[in-house]
Amino acid sequence: MDSDIEDFNSVASSDGFVEDGGSSFGGDDSDVQIDDDFGDDAAFETQEKDLKAKKKHFEVDFSVYSPQDIQDQQDKQVDEVAGLLEQPKESTAILLRYFRWNKERLIEQYMDNQEEVLSKAGLGQDMTTSPPRIEIKDDFMCDICCEDGPGLETFAMKCEHRFCTDCYRQYLAQKIKEEGEAARIKCPGDGCNSIVDSKSLDLMVTPDLTDRYHELLMRTYVDDKESLKWCPAPNCVYAVECGVKKRDLNRIVPTVTCDAKHGFCFGCTLADHQPCPCSLVKKWLKKCEDDSETANWISANTKECPKCGSTIEKNGGCNHMTCRKCRNEFCWMCMGLWSEHGTSWYNCNRYEEKSGTEARDSQAKSRQSLERYLHYYNRYANHEQSAKLDKDIFHKTEKKMTLLQSSSNMSWIEVQFLESASKALQQCRQTLKWTYAFAYYLARNNQTEIFEDNQKDLEMAVENLSEMFEKQPDQLAGLKVQMMDKTAYCNQRHIILLDDTAKNLKEENWQFNTTLS
Amino acid sequence: MAANKRIMKELGDINSQPPAGCTINLPNESDINNWEVTMQGPPESVYADGHFKIHVSLPKDYPFKPPGISFKTKIYHPNVSNDDRGAMCLGMLRPDEWKPPNKIKDVLALVRTVLAAPQPDDAVETGIAEQFKNDKAAFENNARDWVERYAKGA
């Protein structure tokens, strides 16, 4: 019940974070790291507890369940409650589903008024009688198909609404296949609210539907529980359990990863959007959708060289552009001279608030607010785009590396550094992207400046790595050590940024220029 | 198809014992899935003098899926859409409410009940529903006017 903020830190660290988070975060922080594959296993934990690396502020505890685990969970709860209520398992399962798996509420109301609960859940009185079975009837007319031949196979539950098995089956098949119902299918009888129990279903549902039916039962189980969510990735079978509640979402961004390495936010089931809290993400996405002026901007994938005016298409992830024609080196973001960015004067991530004098003019103000929005949107979209380009480059390079490998004496293991670099770039850009949405809603104060410094450091590291990444394959081998260093540095900056932001979010230290709702 | 036997039986029953105020026709004798019903407005209602043509279409999965009801005669009523579809929103026709043993005569009986007693809280025409609730006299005038204009043909 009480999964308040404090609890997020209390249990063993779950080392999955974003895609393959474990591998890229591991090893680069100074704390002692213990292989915590054993997770919550108490036997191993007692001794190693003190040695275990402290969990980061941006990490949350969660468990991943396979469909089998979820089935077991349900079975266990059914067993438990069945013993308490002294009801058969089928009936208990129906009761639990009816109460949306709220055990406490079921038991309480059952104890209060057993008969009412049973009839509401469609169980009527006495269900300990004979199990459901198919009966052959003469002198019977099915009220659905009007078939009345002798020797008709029929079926009815305890409510005695009897129909021929063909009709009963077709009715169930339609409910399951077309309406996606499973847990709360009612008896086909006119006005009857009895729910078709699992024994009857097992008997009546044709084998080709059994899987679908069980899958649907599983769906409702997970959907009914606040602490369980399906991985939103297409066709992914895993469910994730996390104690973070809706009301916690303004103080924590619960990024989780399923066993198929799909990272997502447990709060809103969108892709990982750390460090930005769900409510701001929602606002931001809505804003981006609404602001039609930016549509033009988005479509602009090309820019002109600020010196000679040649049209340039960005085809790599790095912001350092060199014009093919005039050799002008400039920054893709601000179009300023690259030399002015240098290494220490990289100042492209920060929006300088203009002095308030202009603000009196409302027109200027709105122009400024649009400009401010575009500043952040610009950078947000750029990281999104760059992440894609980085990935493309990686795939291209990977192919070339395979070729290179056969011609040089580098082994495949030795070129793995490229993959780590690519992963780091993807993760960092994902975070950087959302830092701009986050920054857009931040009020301007000292803390915001610290945040922007962290953002700048990470961004610079990422752009450096991205630039190396674009080199020709034959040059890459020589850059191996440098790239590994840069990768580690990026990951380190990434953790620092996330951890600091998450810590302040948890402690409610951020001041926003909007309300978190 | 099993459905044919059921539909034939319903047709037989309904013709020997038609529901109050209804006559049933098959516009196309070979197509038993499309019925044309002429319904007399319920007595003592504003629709009493009208004859309303209602198209009943039975889906191929009937009776596992509910029939479709559509008013071919324009009617001023909160629960019937004022468009080409003339759709009527009935609880029992919703997929989760419909049960296969339900019969068309039950549906027609319900249609007639709703004609006699509109359900403004469950309306498709919210404007008409508002008027029904707040200005009954104006509503009745309009309804009678439409009956005069559209529902006296047959």
Side-chain angles (χ1 to χ4, degrees), chain A residues 144 174 178 187 189-190 192, chain B residues 6 64-65 99 101-103:
Chain A
I144 296 177
Q174 189 203 305
E178 290 180 33
C187 159
D190 184 18
C192 180
Chain B
R6 152 88 183 242
F64 296 97
K65 282 196 179 153
K99 293 288 188 84
N102 295 154
K103 307 288 187 307

Side-chain angles (χ1 to χ4, degrees), chain A residues 483-500:
Chain A
M483 275 183 83
M484 283 169 74
D485 282 352
K486 260 295 172 237
T487 304
Y489 184 69
C490 278
N491 286 331
Q492 198 185 325
R493 295 309 314 177
H494 187 208
I495 290 176
I496 289 171
L497 185 143
L498 286 181
D499 205 41
D500 181 67

Side-chain angles (χ1 to χ4, degrees), chain A residues 57 251 447 450 498-510:
Chain A
H57 288 287
R251 289 175 300 165
Q447 204 171 9
I450 296 173
L498 286 181
D499 205 41
D500 181 67
T501 321
K503 182 169 172 283
N504 284 310
L505 194 64
K506 212 174 270 186
E507 292 165 3
E508 300 185 358
N509 290 336
W510 294 112

Side-chain angles (χ1 to χ4, degrees), chain A residues 141 143-148 163 167 170-171 174-175 178-179 181 186-192, chain B residues 1-3 5-7 9-10 61 63-66 95-103 106:
Chain A
M141 192 194 75
D143 200 22
I144 296 177
C145 63
C146 301
E147 202 59 61
D148 54 2
F163 302 98
C167 284
Q170 192 175 341
Y171 171 75
Q174 189 203 305
K175 289 283 167 198
E178 290 180 33
E179 291 168 37
E181 277 221 50
K186 288 177 182 168
C187 159
D190 184 18
C192 180
Chain B
M1 272 293 291
K5 190 162 183 175
R6 152 88 183 242
I7 295 172
K9 188 168 181 336
E10 279 203 65
D61 293 328
F64 296 97
K65 282 196 179 153
D96 50 332
E97 296 265 335
W98 175 258
K99 293 288 188 84
N102 295 154
K103 307 288 187 307
D106 305 328

Side-chain angles (χ1 to χ4, degrees), chain A residues 28-47:
Chain A
D28 45 37
D29 57 321
S30 47
D31 296 24
V32 184
Q33 280 252 302
I34 297 289
D35 182 0
D36 52 8
D37 272 350
F38 298 115
D40 297 343
D41 196 329
F44 289 97
E45 209 178 281
T46 39
Q47 296 205 350

